Amino acid sequence: AQAIVTGARHEGVRIPRHVSLDDHIHLPGEGVTAVVDGKIVCVGNARLFKRIGLYEKLPKDVEEATETWLEEGGMSIEGEGIVCCYSVADSVRPEAARVVSRLKELGVESVMLTGDNNGAALAIGKQVGLEDYQIESQLYPEDKVRLVQELKRRGEGGNGGNVGSRGSLILSRQKHELVLMVGDGVNDAPALATADVGVAMGEGASVALETSDVTLLDSNLEKLVYSIEMGRRVNRKIVENVLFSLTLKVVVIVFALFGYMQLWGAIVADVGAMLAVTINGMTLLPSALKTSRKTTMVENESNGYYIVEVP
């Protein structure tokens, strides 16, 4: 929607101030409709106009031209039919390909779920390194929910996981039958709620932010990889600390049973164990020296902010 508004402004289109707007309705996976000055106006993709029977009334030359576009849409006015057509496509985030590659290294298989047509979806998937079988296109919100549910029903033994770029969704499935869904749009919200873990991008729609379990502060996908890696490190540290503490307790008990452990020794062992697990946990904190050496600031001209890249 923002891209269409921006494009209209670049074309010099000015929105009249004295216009009445009523009955604004969002049509999931299709577009929006409203009553403008007493006439029903629809703005959306080709599926919307095929459903309401206006797409077939397009002149043949216009229909043939729009079929070559990656993702076509249009606007209709009651009594006038379709009055304009437009083409939009989601831009691939610069870090998306690196993120998909890194997830693969981590044993996480990515799947892209999108409402775009098949041609647009394949073009975007190819840019980020996904195979055709990893791409599901032309999906309504309920289709995304169904696919997430199918992943959740799969038995143990396979790897899965996913991450996506802006405008597309990516799910992830892990060995313990967990599904992680990443999204930023209104149409992603039901699937985010259905997944075991829903992750919303910080610049996404408010309904996606409210529905998700985790919200990234911005839309830099590398933060998702960082979160997954940090989560694994935290789990590993928890296991290490528990095993160390239990082992030390067993050793102290055995020595005490054979009369080789005094009270002061048990106290020292207990305090020492507490300090050891605390220090081990603190190794998760980022080192300022390591951070300065391993990160660089890169300007993202398209969005006007800086992102941190880790070589």
Side-chain angles (χ1 to χ4, degrees), residues 21-27 31-35 40-43 48:
L21 178 65
D22 301 300
D23 299 332
H24 180 277
I25 301 174
H26 171 253
L27 305 174
V32 295
T33 181
V35 178
I40 299 176
V41 176
C42 298
V43 180
L48 169 61

Side-chain angles (χ1 to χ4, degrees), residues 4-84:
I4 296 175
V5 173
T6 302
R9 288 175 178 169
H10 289 167
E11 295 293 331
V13 176
R14 295 292 180 266
I15 301 176
R17 294 183 178 275
H18 304 290
V19 173
S20 64
L21 178 65
D22 301 300
D23 299 332
H24 180 277
I25 301 174
H26 171 253
L27 305 174
E30 293 182 338
V32 295
T33 181
V35 178
V36 181
D37 282 347
K39 292 186 177 182
I40 299 176
V41 176
C42 298
V43 180
N45 55 29
R47 285 183 294 186
L48 169 61
F49 297 106
K50 288 178 180 179
R51 180 174 62 82
I52 62 179
L54 292 180
Y55 192 82
E56 293 74 13
K57 297 179 181 180
L58 278 175
K60 288 298 180 183
D61 57 334
V62 176
E63 183 176 346
E64 292 174 359
T66 59
E67 288 178 350
T68 64
W69 296 350
L70 285 179
E71 182 65 21
E72 73 275 12
M75 181 179 74
S76 69
I77 300 177
E78 184 180 6
E80 303 292 338
I82 298 178
V83 297
C84 73

